[in-house]
Amino acid sequence: MMRKYRVHELAKDLKVANKEILNILKEYLNVEKKHMTALTEEELSVVFEYFTQKNQVESFDEYFKKKNDEEIEKIENIQIKDLNIKKPENVVVDIKSVSLNIDKYNEKYDKIALGEVPKNNIVASRYNKLNNTKFNYRDRFRFSKKRETEAERILRVTRERKNRKTVILLPDEITVKELSQRLKVTSTEVIKKLISMGNMSSINDFIDFDTASLISMEFFAKAEKENKINIEEKIINNRKDEEKDLVSRAPVVVIMGHVDHGKTSLLDCIRNSNVTSGEAGGITQHIGAYRVNLNDKEITFLDTPGHEAFTTMRARGAQVTDIAILVIAADDGVMSQTIEAINHARVAGVSIIVAINKIDKENANVEKVKQQLTEYNIVPEEWGGDVPCVPISTKNKIGIDSLLEIVLLVSDLKELKANPNRSARGTVIEAKLDKGRGPVATVLIQNGTLKIGDIVIVGFSLGRIRNMIDDKGKRVDQAGPSTPVEITGLDNVPNGGDILYVVFDEKLARELIDQRKNSKKEKMFSTKSKISLDNLFEQMSKADLKELKIIVKADVQGSVEAVKQSLEKLSDSEVKINIIHGAVGSITDSDVMLANASNAIIVGFNVRPEPDASKNAEKNNVDLRFYRIIYDCIEEISAAMKGLLAPKFREVQIGRAECRLVYKISSVGTIAGSYVLMGKVTKNSNIRVVRDGVVIFEDKVLSLKRFKDDVKEVTQGYECGIGLEKFNDIKEKDILESFVIEEYRDN
């Protein structure tokens, strides 16, 4: 907290009259002050700004050049009269004089005149017995050698600072308070120096290194940049392995595909255990990791509940898989989730193997599946491509061995290697809190060997490995590369995708955890957002962006293809347009997760986001753009690439209602008996009619009623009747989105 700064002190420092300060406060802030009144930060800022504007100069170069020498010279030239005391002449006592009273003479009066009175020799009498005048105690202390004046102190301190060659270490940014502490001066002195430089900073404000360096020179100190100790580099072994230390490791395979196409059934066949029957409805309820042995070679499989978890780990920076097996039912062919899985695997940069399942069904058509895959740039090997396609049947266990052999072949071509003789590094696949064992995490070891007793740091968790259980349920003492194990001993539950490191200093590890927590808090207040059309040109200018990734969702497939082709033509030498996913239907949570993991924007044509998708997009700062005309999208993205995008209006959704009954009144028209699901519906709002995720019509509210009464708005949880101006073809279960268009300015 800054100390009180009074009017008369400020006037003295600025070398102006008190009245001038009072007049400024009266004129600009309309406040009455007295010379002893303390000033607020706002009042100080106004006064400083006034004199800054009044006393502007073109350059401070000459001032800073002569500053140090002039200050010393000025102080040394101060005439300190109190220090130029002449020693009185010897006292001559004329013993012939009859008027002299020798008994009254005392040697201590000479000492008083010389300022040599000892501390314990306090004058008892308040009167000077020589001249019968009142003794002034202030004079006694002023003449004392043990009491220095302010001028003396300033001169002494300045000389000491100049003579001692002080070097201080400063970061890129530092607060005024911390700088004063490192310089061993008061904050007020630093603030005064800043004011003289035209920098109006308070005690808690940050100043950059250059400014702090200039201030340090004012106090005869040399500033050097400090190198922050990177604890992570000290305790985490991230050195690159030498080729001689590397050995072959098992591939890590993830199984992806459309729901009910046989992902878990395939894994069930591979590891010869009936997982599917123990799960609700045959749908995978957890993430598991398993190892299988084929021809004395190991393969690690990740079983995920769809590609969402796979992408979630990627969004957290975890690259755990080497190969993706894409399961497609031969009777259904390529479905919507199949397309999403292809795009997720492609963005992750993993090798794809297609397993065409259910070939034993009557309506199975393997060739049709291959033909569909070519539409998404997946060309089978037998057609001249590089993607193996293996026909299988999980029901009759046909082609399973061939599929595994292809996995090993692709693995050999990738030459997957790791160093088992080093401290372990792995990734958390899943984690939970067990009532009996505490925090439990399933970890896939990627390099090195994890052992019982190792100190590990996992995200924001710290612990010592107490127990390890492999995928067969057996206790193990160590786990090497590509091995999944369940560990206990952490102090709290980590997140999926967190990286596990073995460390050797528990104290430093705790400091690293604190650093990570502080960094997380800083990021929460950071204004940096993901890529959007609004900041596209700015990131291009900073050379942070070379590729704009876009996800396209539309109401029909023809629109998807038209948009993809039109946007890809916008690519130029500075930025490439990459459509990483395109599909028909509303914008789902999976689309948002893919955009979040890939730093992409989502473009929707005549479609709307699902409620969860909208919330997650806002939470993760994923840019959603909605259009009804393709040319609007092309122009907007093109303008963003050229730095011309300056939107002045935006849509703000204020509520959603569901039509539950339709009333047709001859004199009024069609009324939608609705229930407000979220937000509110107002009488002056616009309404968008959405049916099965597709926008049917946009209109305005004509009438809004609660029972028989006209109302201005209806909020969440209440029923109402909504009449639209033009649209009458309302059906039950239609969603009515209430929104307004507002004008805004870019910051």
Side-chain angles (χ1 to χ4, degrees), residues 147-182:
R147 178 89 172 187
E148 66 177 355
T149 63
E150 183 66 16
E152 284 183 285
R153 189 190 71 80
I154 294 174
L155 181 61
R156 175 180 56 78
V157 171
T158 306
R159 281 175 174 167
E160 288 177 357
R161 289 173 180 168
K162 187 175 182 180
N163 292 333
R164 74 180 182 217
K165 296 180 179 179
T166 305
V167 177
I168 61 172
L169 300 177
L170 300 178
D172 292 333
E173 285 188 335
I174 190 171
T175 62
V176 173
K177 181 179 180 180
E178 188 177 353
L179 176 62
S180 65
Q181 291 173 346
R182 297 194 183 191

Side-chain angles (χ1 to χ4, degrees), residues 279-295:
E279 295 171 347
I283 299 175
T284 307
Q285 300 296 313
H286 68 283
I287 302 174
Y290 312 93
R291 280 170 71 89
V292 298
N293 188 288
L294 179 68
N295 300 329

Side-chain angles (χ1 to χ4, degrees), residues 185-236:
V185 298
T186 64
S187 298
T188 304
E189 290 180 277
V190 174
I191 291 173
K192 287 180 180 180
K193 297 291 185 183
L194 287 167
I195 292 173
S196 68
M197 295 180 179
N199 188 329
M200 303 301 174
S201 297
S202 63
I203 190 171
N204 293 318
D205 286 345
F206 280 89
I207 56 176
D208 57 27
F209 174 81
D210 293 335
T211 304
S213 179
L214 290 173
I215 295 298
S216 302
M217 290 171 61
E218 292 286 305
F219 294 99
F220 309 105
K222 181 181 179 182
E224 295 180 356
K225 281 201 174 185
E226 68 176 359
N227 295 321
K228 289 186 177 180
I229 299 175
N230 192 327
I231 299 178
E232 191 163 340
E233 292 180 357
K234 292 182 67 175
I235 65 174
I236 294 177

Side-chain angles (χ1 to χ4, degrees), residues 111 190 227 229 317 346 416 426 440 469 497 500 529 535 553-554 599 642:
K111 295 182 179 180
V190 174
N227 295 321
I229 299 175
R346 185 175 286 148
L416 303 173
V440 179
I469 300 175
L500 175 145
S529 61
N535 65 13
K553 297 300 289 285
N599 197 14
K642 297 175 182 177

Side-chain angles (χ1 to χ4, degrees), residues 366-636:
V366 175
E367 297 303 314
K368 182 181 177 181
V369 173
K370 295 179 181 179
Q371 179 63 43
Q372 290 176 331
L373 287 171
T374 59
E375 299 175 6
Y376 303 98
N377 296 323
I378 302 293
V379 182
E381 282 185 339
E382 55 266 36
W383 290 11
D386 58 355
V387 178
C389 293
V390 185
I392 65 169
S393 171
T394 57
K395 182 178 180 181
N396 297 318
K397 295 183 173 56
I398 300 173
I400 305 300
D401 290 339
S402 299
L403 177 63
L404 295 178
E405 288 175 0
I406 293 293
V407 170
L408 291 177
L409 178 61
V410 173
S411 172
D412 291 339
L413 293 174
K414 293 175 72 74
E415 295 183 347
L416 303 173
K417 294 183 178 181
N419 178 11
N421 301 315
R422 61 173 294 169
S423 53
R425 176 186 182 277
T427 299
V428 176
I429 305 301
E430 68 171 358
K432 62 184 179 181
L433 182 62
D434 188 276
K435 291 183 179 180
R437 296 183 294 167
V440 179
T442 301
V443 180
L444 176 67
I445 306 303
Q446 295 171 280
N447 203 12
T449 300
L450 184 65
K451 302 174 182 177
I452 294 289
D454 282 347
I455 302 171
V456 294
I457 187 168
V458 191
F460 301 102
S461 306
L462 177 68
R464 187 185 294 270
I465 302 297
R466 289 203 302 260
N467 291 304
M468 286 195 296
I469 300 175
D470 65 9
D471 59 299
K472 306 297 190 298
K474 298 179 180 179
R475 292 180 179 271
V476 293
D477 294 330
Q478 60 183 25
S482 298
T483 303
V485 286
E486 192 176 71
I487 64 171
T488 61
L490 301 176
D491 57 2
N492 55 65
V493 181
N495 297 311
D498 280 348
I499 308 299
L500 175 145
Y501 293 101
V502 171
V503 297
F504 303 98
D505 191 318
E506 188 171 355
K507 182 179 178 181
L508 287 177
R510 293 191 183 278
E511 291 184 23
L512 178 57
I513 293 292
D514 292 338
Q515 280 188 3
R516 289 181 173 181
K517 290 179 179 179
N518 292 334
S519 298
K520 183 180 179 181
K521 291 179 181 178
E522 292 175 2
K523 288 181 180 178
M524 290 176 62
F525 297 99
S526 175
T527 57
K528 183 174 178 60
S529 61
K530 290 187 175 290
I531 181 68
S532 67
L533 291 188
D534 296 320
N535 65 13
L536 174 61
F537 184 73
E538 179 184 354
Q539 293 200 28
M540 288 170 56
S541 302
K542 295 178 180 178
D544 291 338
L545 182 71
K546 295 180 181 179
E547 183 180 57
L548 174 60
K549 298 176 182 178
I550 300 177
I551 296 172
V552 178
K553 297 300 289 285
D555 53 346
V556 294
Q557 185 63 34
S559 297
V560 174
E561 296 302 324
V563 173
K564 288 172 63 176
Q565 293 175 9
S566 300
L567 292 179
E568 286 172 349
K569 291 179 181 178
L570 296 177
S571 299
D572 56 26
S573 58
E574 292 184 358
V575 59
K576 177 187 176 184
I577 303 295
N578 184 7
I579 310 299
I580 63 173
H581 179 55
V584 175
S586 59
I587 297 171
T588 64
D589 197 25
S590 177
D591 297 323
V592 174
M593 293 173 67
L594 177 58
N596 183 35
S598 309
N599 197 14
I601 68 173
I602 301 177
V603 172
F605 281 84
N606 291 327
V607 294
R608 300 297 300 168
E610 296 176 355
D612 290 342
S614 183
K615 291 178 182 178
N616 286 336
E618 182 178 355
K619 177 182 177 182
N620 295 304
N621 296 325
V622 174
D623 190 17
L624 301 179
R625 297 279 170 161
F626 305 103
Y627 305 96
R628 303 202 68 184
I629 303 174
I630 187 172
Y631 300 106
D632 291 342
C633 173
I634 296 171
E635 290 179 4
E636 194 167 65

